[in-house]
Amino acid sequence: MAAEKAEMDALKKECDALRTQIEAARKAVNDSSMSAASGGATAVGRVQLKLRKTLKGHLAKIYAMHWSADSRQMVSASQDGKLLVWDTFTGNKLVAVPLKSAWVMSVAFAPSGNLVASGGLDNICTVYNIKAASPKTLRELDAHTGYLSCCRFLSDTEILTASGDTTCCLWDLETGKQKVIFTNHIGDCMSLALSSDMNTFISGACDSLAKLWDVREGACKQTFSGHTSDINAISFFPSGNAVITGSDDCTCKMYDLRADQEVIGYQDTNLNAGVTSLALSSSGRLIFAGYDDFNCHIWDSLKGEKVGVLSGHDNRVSCTGVPADGMGVCTGSWDSFLKLWN
Amino acid sequence: MSGSSNLVAMKKAVQQLRFEASINRVKVSQAAADLQQFCIQNALQDPLLTGVSSSTNPFRPQKVCSFL
Protein backbone atom coordinates (compact mmCIF):
# COMPACT_ATOMS: atom_id res chain seq x y z
CA MET A 1 0.00 0.00 0.00
CA ALA A 2 2.73 2.42 1.01
CA ALA A 3 4.76 1.56 -2.10
CA GLU A 4 1.72 2.20 -4.27
CA LYS A 5 1.07 5.54 -2.55
CA ALA A 6 4.69 6.52 -3.10
CA GLU A 7 4.41 5.65 -6.78
CA MET A 8 1.15 7.64 -7.10
CA ASP A 9 2.78 10.64 -5.45
CA ALA A 10 5.77 10.42 -7.80
CA LEU A 11 3.47 10.22 -10.82
CA LYS A 12 1.39 13.19 -9.60
CA LYS A 13 4.60 15.16 -9.21
CA GLU A 14 5.59 14.24 -12.75
CA CYS A 15 2.17 15.36 -14.06
CA ASP A 16 2.54 18.71 -12.36
CA ALA A 17 6.06 19.11 -13.70
CA LEU A 18 4.93 18.27 -17.24
CA ARG A 19 2.04 20.74 -17.03
CA THR A 20 4.45 23.44 -15.91
CA GLN A 21 6.78 22.48 -18.77
CA ILE A 22 3.95 22.80 -21.31
CA GLU A 23 2.93 26.21 -19.97
CA ALA A 24 6.53 27.39 -20.10
CA ALA A 25 6.94 26.15 -23.68
CA ARG A 26 3.75 27.97 -24.70
CA LYS A 27 4.90 31.14 -22.99
CA ALA A 28 8.28 30.92 -24.72
CA VAL A 29 6.66 31.25 -28.16
CA ASN A 30 4.09 33.80 -27.04
CA ASP A 31 6.03 36.70 -28.55
CA SER A 32 3.07 38.66 -29.88
CA SER A 33 -0.71 38.81 -30.04
CA MET A 34 -3.28 38.41 -32.78
CA SER A 35 -4.38 42.03 -32.21
CA ALA A 36 -0.83 43.25 -32.77
CA ALA A 37 -0.50 41.13 -35.93
CA SER A 38 -3.91 42.23 -37.29
CA GLY A 39 -3.22 45.93 -36.85
CA GLY A 40 -2.39 46.11 -40.55
CA ALA A 41 -5.51 44.30 -41.75
CA THR A 42 -8.33 46.49 -43.06
CA ALA A 43 -11.43 46.54 -40.89
CA VAL A 44 -14.43 44.67 -42.29
CA GLY A 45 -16.82 47.43 -41.25
CA ARG A 46 -20.37 46.69 -40.24
CA VAL A 47 -21.55 43.35 -41.67
CA GLN A 48 -25.24 43.58 -42.49
CA LEU A 49 -26.67 40.39 -43.88
CA LYS A 50 -30.27 40.15 -45.01
CA LEU A 51 -32.75 37.45 -44.14
CA ARG A 52 -33.45 35.68 -47.45
CA LYS A 53 -35.66 32.79 -46.41
CA THR A 54 -37.39 31.39 -43.35
CA LEU A 55 -37.87 27.63 -43.57
CA LYS A 56 -41.03 26.55 -41.78
CA GLY A 57 -42.00 22.94 -41.21
CA HIS A 58 -40.72 21.68 -37.90
CA LEU A 59 -43.20 21.59 -35.04
CA ALA A 60 -40.80 21.81 -32.12
CA LYS A 61 -37.32 23.03 -31.15
CA ILE A 62 -34.63 22.59 -33.79
CA TYR A 63 -31.46 21.17 -32.27
CA ALA A 64 -29.14 20.68 -35.22
CA MET A 65 -28.57 21.31 -38.88
CA HIS A 66 -25.90 20.36 -41.42
CA TRP A 67 -25.27 21.49 -44.99
CA SER A 68 -24.80 19.00 -47.79
CA ALA A 69 -21.49 19.21 -49.67
CA ASP A 70 -23.46 20.50 -52.69
CA SER A 71 -24.18 23.77 -50.79
CA ARG A 72 -27.83 23.46 -51.80
CA GLN A 73 -29.41 20.73 -49.68
CA MET A 74 -29.44 20.91 -45.92
CA VAL A 75 -30.74 18.60 -43.20
CA SER A 76 -32.30 19.74 -39.92
CA ALA A 77 -33.31 17.84 -36.79
CA SER A 78 -36.07 18.73 -34.37
CA GLN A 79 -37.45 17.26 -31.20
CA ASP A 80 -40.73 16.92 -33.09
CA GLY A 81 -39.11 13.60 -34.02
CA LYS A 82 -38.24 14.39 -37.63
CA LEU A 83 -35.26 15.06 -39.82
CA LEU A 84 -36.10 17.30 -42.77
CA VAL A 85 -33.96 17.55 -45.89
CA TRP A 86 -34.43 20.93 -47.57
CA ASP A 87 -33.69 22.39 -50.99
CA THR A 88 -32.53 25.78 -49.73
CA PHE A 89 -32.76 27.39 -53.19
CA THR A 90 -36.53 26.80 -53.42
CA GLY A 91 -37.35 26.34 -49.75
CA ASN A 92 -38.95 22.98 -50.55
CA LYS A 93 -38.79 19.96 -48.25
CA LEU A 94 -37.30 17.04 -50.16
CA VAL A 95 -37.33 14.25 -47.59
CA ALA A 96 -38.84 13.74 -44.14
CA VAL A 97 -37.24 11.06 -41.97
CA PRO A 98 -39.30 9.94 -38.97
CA LEU A 99 -37.10 9.19 -35.96
CA LYS A 100 -37.51 6.27 -33.54
CA SER A 101 -36.48 8.61 -30.74
CA ALA A 102 -37.59 12.24 -30.81
CA TRP A 103 -34.80 13.34 -28.46
CA VAL A 104 -32.38 14.21 -31.23
CA MET A 105 -29.29 16.36 -30.59
CA SER A 106 -27.25 16.02 -33.75
CA VAL A 107 -27.59 15.50 -37.48
CA ALA A 108 -25.09 15.06 -40.30
CA PHE A 109 -25.08 14.85 -44.10
CA ALA A 110 -22.65 12.45 -45.77
CA PRO A 111 -20.36 14.12 -48.35
CA SER A 112 -21.95 11.94 -51.07
CA GLY A 113 -25.42 13.24 -50.24
CA ASN A 114 -26.71 9.64 -50.06
CA LEU A 115 -26.83 9.28 -46.28
CA VAL A 116 -27.82 11.30 -43.22
CA ALA A 117 -27.20 10.39 -39.58
CA SER A 118 -28.75 11.51 -36.32
CA GLY A 119 -28.67 10.71 -32.64
CA GLY A 120 -29.40 12.08 -29.20
CA LEU A 121 -30.64 10.89 -25.83
CA ASP A 122 -31.14 7.38 -27.21
CA ASN A 123 -27.27 7.07 -27.18
CA ILE A 124 -27.50 5.68 -30.71
CA CYS A 125 -26.26 7.11 -34.02
CA THR A 126 -28.74 6.02 -36.70
CA VAL A 127 -27.70 6.24 -40.35
CA TYR A 128 -30.38 6.58 -43.04
CA ASN A 129 -30.25 6.11 -46.80
CA ILE A 130 -32.25 9.06 -48.15
CA LYS A 131 -31.85 8.10 -51.81
CA ALA A 132 -34.09 5.07 -51.40
CA ALA A 133 -37.79 5.41 -52.39
CA SER A 134 -38.53 6.14 -48.75
CA PRO A 135 -35.83 6.79 -46.11
CA LYS A 136 -34.34 3.48 -45.01
CA THR A 137 -32.41 2.84 -41.80
CA LEU A 138 -28.99 1.60 -42.86
CA ARG A 139 -27.32 1.16 -39.47
CA GLU A 140 -27.94 1.71 -35.79
CA LEU A 141 -24.59 2.40 -34.13
CA ASP A 142 -25.20 1.39 -30.55
CA ALA A 143 -22.28 1.30 -28.14
CA HIS A 144 -22.05 4.71 -26.49
CA THR A 145 -23.17 4.77 -22.87
CA GLY A 146 -24.16 8.41 -23.00
CA TYR A 147 -26.10 10.73 -25.30
CA LEU A 148 -24.97 11.36 -28.84
CA SER A 149 -24.07 15.07 -29.04
CA CYS A 150 -22.46 15.23 -32.50
CA CYS A 151 -21.77 13.10 -35.56
CA ARG A 152 -19.84 13.69 -38.79
CA PHE A 153 -19.35 11.42 -41.83
CA LEU A 154 -15.91 10.88 -43.32
CA SER A 155 -17.50 8.99 -46.22
CA ASP A 156 -20.39 6.57 -46.84
CA THR A 157 -18.42 3.95 -44.91
CA GLU A 158 -17.07 5.82 -41.86
CA ILE A 159 -18.57 8.18 -39.30
CA LEU A 160 -17.26 9.95 -36.18
CA THR A 161 -19.45 10.43 -33.11
CA ALA A 162 -19.08 12.46 -29.91
CA SER A 163 -20.92 11.40 -26.76
CA GLY A 164 -21.98 12.41 -23.28
CA ASP A 165 -20.09 9.28 -22.13
CA THR A 166 -16.91 11.47 -22.60
CA THR A 167 -15.64 9.51 -25.60
CA CYS A 168 -15.62 10.02 -29.35
CA CYS A 169 -15.73 7.09 -31.71
CA LEU A 170 -14.91 6.19 -35.32
CA TRP A 171 -17.34 3.63 -36.74
CA ASP A 172 -17.21 1.32 -39.73
CA LEU A 173 -20.59 1.60 -41.45
CA GLU A 174 -20.14 -1.63 -43.39
CA THR A 175 -19.92 -3.69 -40.18
CA GLY A 176 -21.67 -1.31 -37.79
CA LYS A 177 -18.76 -1.76 -35.37
CA GLN A 178 -16.48 0.67 -33.55
CA LYS A 179 -13.05 1.03 -35.20
CA VAL A 180 -11.36 3.50 -32.86
CA ILE A 181 -12.43 4.88 -29.49
CA PHE A 182 -11.02 8.25 -28.46
CA THR A 183 -10.72 8.58 -24.70
CA ASN A 184 -9.14 11.46 -22.81
CA HIS A 185 -11.89 13.99 -22.04
CA ILE A 186 -13.18 14.01 -18.47
CA GLY A 187 -16.49 15.62 -19.30
CA ASP A 188 -19.32 15.03 -21.79
CA CYS A 189 -18.14 15.55 -25.38
CA MET A 190 -20.41 18.16 -26.92
CA SER A 191 -19.09 18.84 -30.39
CA LEU A 192 -16.61 17.68 -33.01
CA ALA A 193 -15.21 18.94 -36.31
CA LEU A 194 -13.25 17.02 -38.95
CA SER A 195 -10.18 18.48 -40.70
CA SER A 196 -10.49 18.80 -44.48
CA ASP A 197 -7.87 16.07 -45.04
CA MET A 198 -9.79 13.86 -42.57
CA ASN A 199 -6.61 12.81 -40.78
CA THR A 200 -7.47 14.73 -37.61
CA PHE A 201 -10.51 15.97 -35.78
CA ILE A 202 -11.16 18.30 -32.85
CA SER A 203 -13.58 17.84 -29.98
CA GLY A 204 -15.00 20.22 -27.38
CA ALA A 205 -16.31 18.98 -24.05
CA CYS A 206 -17.90 19.87 -20.71
CA ASP A 207 -14.45 19.64 -19.11
CA SER A 208 -13.89 23.05 -20.85
CA LEU A 209 -11.12 21.56 -22.99
CA ALA A 210 -10.70 21.25 -26.75
CA LYS A 211 -8.64 18.31 -28.01
CA LEU A 212 -7.01 17.50 -31.35
CA TRP A 213 -7.00 13.78 -32.28
CA ASP A 214 -5.35 11.57 -34.88
CA VAL A 215 -8.28 9.78 -36.57
CA ARG A 216 -6.39 6.56 -37.37
CA GLU A 217 -4.20 6.20 -34.28
CA GLY A 218 -6.79 7.29 -31.74
CA ALA A 219 -4.24 9.45 -29.96
CA CYS A 220 -4.94 12.86 -28.46
CA LYS A 221 -2.25 15.09 -29.97
CA GLN A 222 -2.96 18.43 -28.32
CA THR A 223 -5.15 19.84 -25.56
CA PHE A 224 -6.35 23.45 -25.38
CA SER A 225 -7.58 25.04 -22.19
CA GLY A 226 -8.80 28.50 -21.21
CA HIS A 227 -12.57 28.25 -21.25
CA THR A 228 -14.23 28.29 -17.85
CA SER A 229 -17.29 26.27 -18.79
CA ASP A 230 -18.61 23.67 -21.25
CA ILE A 231 -17.45 23.99 -24.86
CA ASN A 232 -20.61 23.55 -26.97
CA ALA A 233 -19.29 24.35 -30.44
CA ILE A 234 -16.06 23.81 -32.30
CA SER A 235 -14.82 24.40 -35.84
CA PHE A 236 -11.61 24.42 -37.85
CA PHE A 237 -10.37 27.70 -39.33
CA PRO A 238 -10.40 27.09 -43.13
CA SER A 239 -6.58 26.92 -43.39
CA GLY A 240 -6.69 24.00 -40.96
CA ASN A 241 -4.12 25.63 -38.67
CA ALA A 242 -6.49 26.97 -36.03
CA VAL A 243 -9.55 25.94 -34.08
CA ILE A 244 -12.47 28.13 -32.95
CA THR A 245 -14.52 27.17 -29.89
CA GLY A 246 -17.75 28.51 -28.39
CA SER A 247 -18.65 27.99 -24.72
CA ASP A 248 -21.24 28.34 -21.98
CA ASP A 249 -18.80 30.89 -20.49
CA CYS A 250 -20.23 33.29 -23.13
CA THR A 251 -16.97 33.56 -25.08
CA CYS A 252 -15.45 32.14 -28.22
CA LYS A 253 -11.73 31.50 -28.57
CA MET A 254 -9.31 30.84 -31.39
CA TYR A 255 -6.47 28.39 -30.66
CA ASP A 256 -3.61 28.10 -33.13
CA LEU A 257 -2.53 24.46 -33.60
CA ARG A 258 1.10 25.24 -34.44
CA ALA A 259 1.60 27.71 -31.57
CA ASP A 260 -0.34 25.29 -29.33
CA GLN A 261 -2.27 28.06 -27.54
CA GLU A 262 -5.08 30.56 -27.55
CA VAL A 263 -4.27 33.49 -29.84
CA ILE A 264 -7.43 35.58 -29.44
CA GLY A 265 -10.71 35.60 -27.55
CA TYR A 266 -14.13 36.90 -28.58
CA GLN A 267 -16.09 38.36 -25.69
CA ASP A 268 -18.22 41.37 -24.87
CA THR A 269 -19.25 42.52 -21.38
CA ASN A 270 -22.76 43.13 -22.68
CA LEU A 271 -23.02 39.59 -23.97
CA ASN A 272 -24.04 37.33 -21.10
CA ALA A 273 -25.42 34.38 -22.99
CA GLY A 274 -23.81 31.04 -23.69
CA VAL A 275 -22.56 30.16 -27.18
CA THR A 276 -24.47 27.23 -28.67
CA SER A 277 -23.03 26.94 -32.17
CA LEU A 278 -20.60 28.53 -34.58
CA ALA A 279 -19.57 28.60 -38.24
CA LEU A 280 -16.94 30.48 -40.23
CA SER A 281 -17.18 32.31 -43.54
CA SER A 282 -15.07 30.78 -46.33
CA SER A 283 -12.03 33.06 -45.81
CA GLY A 284 -12.23 32.53 -42.04
CA ARG A 285 -12.52 36.28 -41.47
CA LEU A 286 -16.07 36.14 -40.07
CA ILE A 287 -17.27 33.97 -37.21
CA PHE A 288 -21.02 33.43 -36.93
CA ALA A 289 -21.79 32.42 -33.35
CA GLY A 290 -25.26 31.43 -32.14
CA TYR A 291 -26.09 32.43 -28.57
CA ASP A 292 -28.77 31.73 -25.95
CA ASP A 293 -29.85 35.40 -26.32
CA PHE A 294 -31.79 34.45 -29.51
CA ASN A 295 -29.18 36.09 -31.78
CA CYS A 296 -26.31 35.03 -33.97
CA HIS A 297 -23.48 37.51 -33.42
CA ILE A 298 -20.83 38.09 -36.08
CA TRP A 299 -17.18 38.49 -35.05
CA ASP A 300 -14.13 39.70 -36.99
CA SER A 301 -11.86 36.70 -36.34
CA LEU A 302 -8.62 38.69 -36.70
CA LYS A 303 -9.47 41.79 -34.69
CA GLY A 304 -11.72 40.19 -32.08
CA GLU A 305 -14.48 42.76 -32.60
CA LYS A 306 -18.19 42.24 -32.97
CA VAL A 307 -19.12 43.40 -36.49
CA GLY A 308 -22.75 42.44 -36.87
CA VAL A 309 -25.74 40.47 -35.66
CA LEU A 310 -28.39 38.23 -37.21
CA SER A 311 -31.60 38.96 -35.33
CA GLY A 312 -34.95 37.44 -36.01
CA HIS A 313 -35.36 34.28 -34.03
CA ASP A 314 -37.80 34.18 -31.12
CA ASN A 315 -35.82 31.72 -29.10
CA ARG A 316 -32.27 30.38 -28.62
CA VAL A 317 -30.19 29.92 -31.80
CA SER A 318 -29.20 26.27 -31.43
CA CYS A 319 -27.31 25.64 -34.66
CA THR A 320 -25.42 27.61 -37.29
CA GLY A 321 -23.85 26.53 -40.57
CA VAL A 322 -22.11 27.97 -43.62
CA PRO A 323 -22.19 25.83 -46.80
CA ALA A 324 -18.98 24.80 -48.58
CA ASP A 325 -19.35 27.52 -51.25
CA GLY A 326 -19.65 30.15 -48.50
CA MET A 327 -22.72 31.74 -50.12
CA GLY A 328 -24.74 32.21 -46.95
CA VAL A 329 -25.38 31.35 -43.31
CA CYS A 330 -28.14 29.15 -41.96
CA THR A 331 -29.36 29.56 -38.38
CA GLY A 332 -31.69 27.10 -36.65
CA SER A 333 -33.57 27.86 -33.48
CA TRP A 334 -35.69 26.55 -30.63
CA ASP A 335 -38.42 28.71 -32.22
CA SER A 336 -38.73 25.82 -34.79
CA PHE A 337 -37.54 27.88 -37.77
CA LEU A 338 -34.42 27.88 -39.92
CA LYS A 339 -33.31 31.14 -41.48
CA LEU A 340 -31.00 31.74 -44.44
CA TRP A 341 -28.96 34.93 -44.57
CA ASN A 342 -26.46 36.56 -46.91
CA MET B 1 -8.06 -3.12 -6.54
CA SER B 2 -9.15 0.47 -7.13
CA GLY B 3 -5.64 1.48 -6.04
CA SER B 4 -3.97 -0.24 -9.00
CA SER B 5 -6.53 1.07 -11.53
CA ASN B 6 -5.80 4.59 -10.23
CA LEU B 7 -2.12 3.82 -10.85
CA VAL B 8 -2.84 2.70 -14.42
CA ALA B 9 -4.88 5.85 -15.07
CA MET B 10 -2.13 8.01 -13.59
CA LYS B 11 0.54 6.36 -15.75
CA LYS B 12 -1.61 7.01 -18.82
CA ALA B 13 -2.01 10.65 -17.79
CA VAL B 14 1.78 11.02 -17.48
CA GLN B 15 2.29 9.37 -20.88
CA GLN B 16 -0.26 11.72 -22.48
CA LEU B 17 1.33 14.80 -20.94
CA ARG B 18 4.82 13.68 -22.04
CA PHE B 19 3.50 13.36 -25.59
CA GLU B 20 1.79 16.78 -25.52
CA ALA B 21 4.88 18.41 -24.02
CA SER B 22 7.13 17.09 -26.80
CA ILE B 23 5.59 18.91 -29.78
CA ASN B 24 7.36 21.73 -31.61
CA ARG B 25 5.71 25.10 -31.21
CA VAL B 26 5.69 27.93 -33.72
CA LYS B 27 5.93 31.54 -32.51
CA VAL B 28 2.56 33.25 -32.05
CA SER B 29 3.75 36.16 -34.24
CA GLN B 30 4.33 33.72 -37.12
CA ALA B 31 1.08 31.85 -36.51
CA ALA B 32 -0.95 35.06 -36.33
CA ALA B 33 0.70 36.43 -39.48
CA ASP B 34 -0.15 33.21 -41.36
CA LEU B 35 -3.80 33.30 -40.23
CA GLN B 36 -4.07 36.93 -41.29
CA GLN B 37 -2.42 36.17 -44.64
CA PHE B 38 -4.95 33.38 -45.29
CA CYS B 39 -7.89 35.72 -44.59
CA ILE B 40 -6.52 38.42 -46.86
CA GLN B 41 -5.71 36.01 -49.70
CA ASN B 42 -9.24 34.58 -49.63
CA ALA B 43 -11.19 37.75 -48.87
CA LEU B 44 -12.24 38.46 -52.46
CA GLN B 45 -13.62 34.91 -52.82
CA ASP B 46 -15.65 35.14 -49.59
CA PRO B 47 -19.26 35.95 -50.61
CA LEU B 48 -20.22 36.92 -47.07
CA LEU B 49 -17.48 39.59 -47.07
CA THR B 50 -17.87 40.85 -50.63
CA GLY B 51 -21.64 40.66 -50.74
CA VAL B 52 -23.81 38.62 -53.10
CA SER B 53 -25.44 40.33 -56.09
CA SER B 54 -29.16 39.63 -56.50
CA SER B 55 -28.64 38.07 -59.91
CA THR B 56 -26.31 35.41 -58.50
CA ASN B 57 -27.92 34.97 -55.08
CA PRO B 58 -29.14 31.36 -54.84
CA PHE B 59 -31.32 32.10 -51.79
CA ARG B 60 -33.07 35.17 -53.09
CA PRO B 61 -36.68 34.46 -54.06
CA GLN B 62 -36.77 34.29 -57.86
CA LYS B 63 -38.52 37.23 -59.48
CA VAL B 64 -40.22 35.99 -62.60
CA CYS B 65 -41.15 38.23 -65.51
CA SER B 66 -44.03 37.02 -67.56
CA PHE B 67 -45.93 38.40 -70.49
CA LEU B 68 -49.60 38.72 -69.62
Side-chain angles (χ1 to χ4, degrees):
Chain A
M1 273 304 285
E4 214 175 80
K5 187 179 186 312
E7 203 181 345
M8 273 300 267
D9 287 343
L11 288 171
K12 275 193 188 123
K13 246 183 139 180
E14 198 177 350
C15 271
D16 291 339
L18 285 165
R19 287 203 178 95
T20 309
Q21 190 187 318
I22 291 171
E23 280 323 300
R26 284 173 172 160
K27 218 171 163 201
V29 295
N30 195 0
D31 62 337
S32 180
S33 69
M34 195 67 162
S35 343
S38 69
T42 25
V44 294
R46 191 102 196 114
V47 174
Q48 286 171 313
L49 303 185
K50 293 203 171 72
L51 173 63
R52 302 297 180 184
K53 280 199 170 66
T54 295
L55 303 176
K56 304 182 189 194
H58 280 300
L59 305 171
K61 293 174 173 168
I62 290 171
Y63 273 80
M65 58 79 48
H66 194 215
W67 282 96
S68 169
D70 70 3
S71 299
R72 176 166 182 162
Q73 289 187 21
M74 179 264 289
V75 64
S76 58
S78 161
Q79 294 205 346
D80 63 3
K82 290 231 173 9
L83 299 182
L84 289 177
V85 179
W86 306 82
D87 175 341
T88 58
F89 289 11
T90 61
N92 291 338
K93 300 172 200 39
L94 300 173
V95 185
V97 183
L99 301 173
K100 256 187 181 170
S101 163
W103 305 113
V104 64
M105 293 174 69
S106 178
V107 74
F109 226 127
S112 65
N114 297 329
L115 310 175
V116 294
S118 70
L121 295 183
D122 57 357
N123 300 359
I124 300 172
C125 180
T126 308
V127 179
Y128 305 90
N129 177 348
I130 54 164
K131 295 296 191 195
S134 67
K136 195 167 173 286
T137 300
L138 188 72
R139 283 268 171 251
E140 283 181 338
L141 307 173
D142 188 0
H144 279 301
T145 54
Y147 57 84
L148 200 90
S149 53
C150 195
C151 49
R152 285 293 177 258
F153 285 92
L154 280 76
S155 66
D156 279 5
T157 55
E158 285 183 310
I159 192 169
L160 270 169
T161 55
S163 170
D165 67 11
T166 77
T167 71
C168 295
C169 186
L170 176 69
W171 304 78
D172 180 331
L173 291 176
E174 286 169 328
T175 60
K177 298 267 184 293
Q178 294 173 299
K179 265 177 147 165
V180 185
I181 302 175
F182 305 88
T183 51
N184 204 250
H185 277 296
I186 55 173
D188 302 10
C189 291
M190 297 303 291
S191 183
L192 72 89
L194 190 57
S195 64
S196 45
D197 67 8
M198 300 200 195
N199 291 327
T200 60
F201 77 93
I202 44 176
S203 61
C206 290
D207 56 11
S208 73
L209 303 172
K211 287 180 182 285
L212 176 75
W213 307 85
D214 182 309
V215 172
R216 303 295 154 196
E217 289 176 24
C220 167
K221 295 166 48 141
Q222 285 172 263
T223 299
F224 301 97
S225 59
H227 278 297
T228 53
S229 187
D230 306 352
I231 292 176
N232 297 317
I234 197 161
S235 183
F236 272 98
F237 184 82
S239 70
N241 286 330
V243 160
I244 323 283
T245 52
S247 165
D248 270 349
D249 67 10
C250 311
T251 75
C252 294
K253 289 180 189 296
M254 182 192 286
Y255 297 95
D256 187 279
L257 298 180
R258 299 176 309 152
D260 187 41
Q261 58 193 280
E262 177 181 342
V263 292
I264 188 166
Y266 310 96
Q267 62 254 339
D268 183 320
T269 42
N270 295 324
L271 207 38
N272 286 321
V275 180
T276 62
S277 51
L278 65 87
L280 269 58
S281 71
S282 55
S283 67
R285 187 66 192 265
L286 301 176
I287 299 172
F288 297 92
Y291 288 75
D292 288 341
D293 71 352
F294 307 0
N295 294 318
C296 179
H297 293 278
I298 310 173
W299 296 88
D300 176 335
S301 66
L302 298 183
K303 293 187 185 282
E305 297 162 349
K306 215 152 75 67
V307 293
V309 64
L310 303 176
S311 289
H313 283 294
D314 294 324
N315 206 322
R316 174 186 290 194
V317 172
S318 55
C319 47
T320 311
V322 171
D325 67 2
M327 288 297 276
V329 193
C330 179
T331 52
S333 165
W334 278 10
D335 68 6
S336 81
F337 302 121
L338 295 142
K339 289 181 187 283
L340 296 167
W341 317 74
N342 65 13
Chain B
M1 268 312 286
S2 72
S4 58
S5 68
N6 279 347
L7 211 52
V8 167
M10 206 53 170
K11 281 184 180 162
K12 272 197 182 148
V14 168
Q15 204 178 18
Q16 178 63 36
L17 284 169
R18 274 195 198 139
F19 181 73
E20 290 185 21
S22 67
I23 65 166
N24 285 324
R25 292 171 180 82
V26 162
K27 286 203 192 314
V28 170
S29 55
Q30 180 64 53
D34 290 349
L35 290 169
Q36 184 181 305
Q37 180 73 338
F38 185 90
C39 283
I40 291 170
Q41 276 175 341
N42 291 282
L44 293 176
Q45 278 77 49
D46 185 340
L48 293 169
L49 275 180
T50 59
V52 185
S53 72
S54 27
S55 52
T56 55
N57 192 344
F59 305 124
R60 196 186 182 99
Q62 249 64 43
K63 285 188 167 62
V64 182
C65 291
S66 55
F67 286 100
L68 298 168

